[in-house]
Amino acid sequence: MSTPQNLLVELFVEELPPKALKKLGESFATVLADSLKAQGLAGADAAVTPFASPRRLAVHVTGVAAKAADRAVQQKLMPVAVALAADGQPTPALLKKLASLGADASVVPQLKRLPDGKAEALFLDSMVAGATLAEGLQKALDEALAKLPIPKVMSYQLADGWSSVNFVRPAHGLLALHGSTVVPVATLGLQSGRETLGHRFEAAQPRLSIESADSYGQQLREQGAVIASFTERRAEILAQLNAAAAKEGLKPIEDEALLDEVCALVERPNVLTCQFEPEFLAVPQECLILTMKANQKYFPLLDAAGKLTHKFLVVSNIRPADASAVIGGNERVVRPRLSDAKFFYDQDRKKTLAERVPGLAKVVYHGKLGSQGDRAERVRAIAHGLVNMLRMATVPYTVEARDEFEVLDSKVQQAAMLAKADLLTDMVGEFPELQGIMGAYYARHEGLRDGVAIAIEDHYKPRFAGDALPRNHTGTVLALADKLETLVGLFGIGQLPTGDKDPFALRRHALGVIRILVEKNLPLDLPALIDTAVPAFGELITNPREALLGFFADRVAVSLRDQGYSAQEVDAVLALNPSRLGDVPRRLEAVRAFAALPEAASLAAANKRVSNILKKIEGELPTAVDAALLTEPAEQALAAALAEVQPQADTLFEQHDYAGSLKALAALKGPVDAFFDGVMVNAEDAALRANRQALLNRLHGAMNRVADLSRLAS
């Protein structure tokens, strides 16, 4: 058998969709290589290198064989009772099956009789010839193209003028080299060869003849002026961006998605420094940054304080000796965009947010839940309820506290009514991503209290995983109210997420509520929050309390596991359905500390045993322990230990010292072990039995205030 060689496959196409290029390149390489490995043409440890540029998808695979090794297979034929007659001769059914496999009656003596369930079956051992590379690569190529995550397929006509195919973009070339030998494969009306095209304008020659699989990347770079590797090209762009910014004493804005998209637009990156008129900096920098990134794919430059400057970087696909024309062209292109932004900003400030509020009544939010105006009223009502909940949770309630909450309520009411008004501005109409941000700018322009302006911006937070939380109390209350309105309203009309479909981002809203409650450590109970929000909807919805609490519980569990807590730890804490989520992290840390104690395993196992005993008791669980009925020394010792330990554990629990509370319970290990070793709980005497059950019930209650410790038992 010939020595394995490296393989290179490239599909040359018209410009691929930039936002999908990275995934397309990774999928093409992975699926093709996996297929070769599955067919025995490449080893499991074969190195796979993907290539993806605007006009090509390619993959390099090391150690690919010209032919896969033959392999032994054992094929089930049919049950013995069907295959052989009473005299042991093959039946017509068996002969027909063998004929379909290219065999005859001569192989019958070699057939194996093996158990197959309750009966026996005949099996045929044979050798299957390994696939040739041409056969295997054709299969792998077909599979790789079929599984490409194509965002949208287009249909185009082939060169013959008659046939048409469906693919992401028209394909014009297929390259397949095993070492330096062309592998004959075909797809999309193309036959494989060794030629490809380089850069549209800067290649040394129009067509490149690739010498071998290993020379592909180097030839494209040196002769074709193309960096074919997405990873290498991205690193080159990033290096040039940082170098160009450093020359100006500035730094480019960090945006991974923009970097990926620009990498998918160029084959030979060349970063150039441009600028615009400084007077545009009077427009909020978020507007300018967004218009440069979204519309032009430019990288704005920031100063050391993170403030936008009038300079920006453009990633060009050409490297002319004199780049002034390219720089000038990009500066001319960006100017109208910035002028539009300035115009929108100037026009929007001619009308106050309060003047826009009536217009929200004409903006449909949801067919069953009314307009954005209706929604603003509901958010205001819910926010007012949340302020009252916070007021009631404040102990002691002083005159100063009363005044503080009255001011908070005033700010929250004002911010709630104005929070959605910027949806009607020209700037947000052009850039929906700026909702909230622009509202804050316009609020400050009108001279509104800064706390209100910040709340208008922050009420959408957190917008995504890892995003910052609202910065002040007003924003925190408003963000909670806004998210609760969305969740309660949509759950109340049965608009629940299904599978991976979540058009209203309800999972994100729930995680936002969880993060605010936990990270701000708010003294608010989740069920009470839902109950506070429901009345704002009147008769529009049915109460979704139970469904929503279950939804929150699932999100909390997922969030905690993502933070590194074990499934056992999370299960132990959430089994008690803690209503105050701000307590959950402390409970988890306490459970983790308890699990590290030498007494933990024994106590968890005992707790599980107690839980199982109590579950089997029919009717109401006994609670009163009669000391006179404690006849066994072990139960007397447990009752005494519990009487000593429980008050201490309860006091620590009430002080929210959950770790200390659980640690205090460790003293019960000896008495609990002795109890189960020497006492029969289900005594024949009904009074003794009930008394011992009551003792265990008290023990169970004392041990499971922080978490259900039985869930820690292995």
Side-chain angles (χ1 to χ4, degrees), residues 202-214:
E202 301 198 351
Q205 54 199 56
R207 303 191 70 86
L208 280 70
S209 179
I210 304 300
E211 298 170 5
S212 71
D214 293 344

Side-chain angles (χ1 to χ4, degrees), residues 239-291:
Q240 289 191 36
L241 288 172
N242 289 329
K247 286 183 180 179
E248 304 292 333
L250 304 171
K251 59 181 180 180
I253 195 162
E254 294 182 9
D255 190 318
E256 297 296 314
L258 177 62
L259 188 56
D260 283 344
E261 188 174 358
V262 169
C263 183
L265 289 168
V266 298
E267 290 190 315
R268 191 188 191 197
N270 181 30
V271 172
L272 302 171
T273 303
C274 307
Q275 60 184 359
F276 56 82
E277 289 77 1
E279 53 262 32
F280 284 119
L281 293 174
V283 179
Q285 71 176 43
E286 291 89 346
C287 307
L288 303 180
I289 289 172
L290 190 55
T291 192

Side-chain angles (χ1 to χ4, degrees), residues 32 36 43 75 96 133 225 242 288 388 485 497 499 572 612 621 624 652:
L32 189 144
L36 293 176
Q75 185 171 358
K96 184 177 180 181
L133 180 55
N242 289 329
L288 303 180
N388 284 333
E485 192 278 337
N612 291 335
L621 292 176
L652 291 168

Side-chain angles (χ1 to χ4, degrees), residues 15 61 245 259 414 461 502 561 578 601 642:
E15 276 73 5
V61 186
L259 188 56
Q414 184 180 22
K461 293 179 178 179
D502 188 8
R561 287 196 294 269
L642 189 57

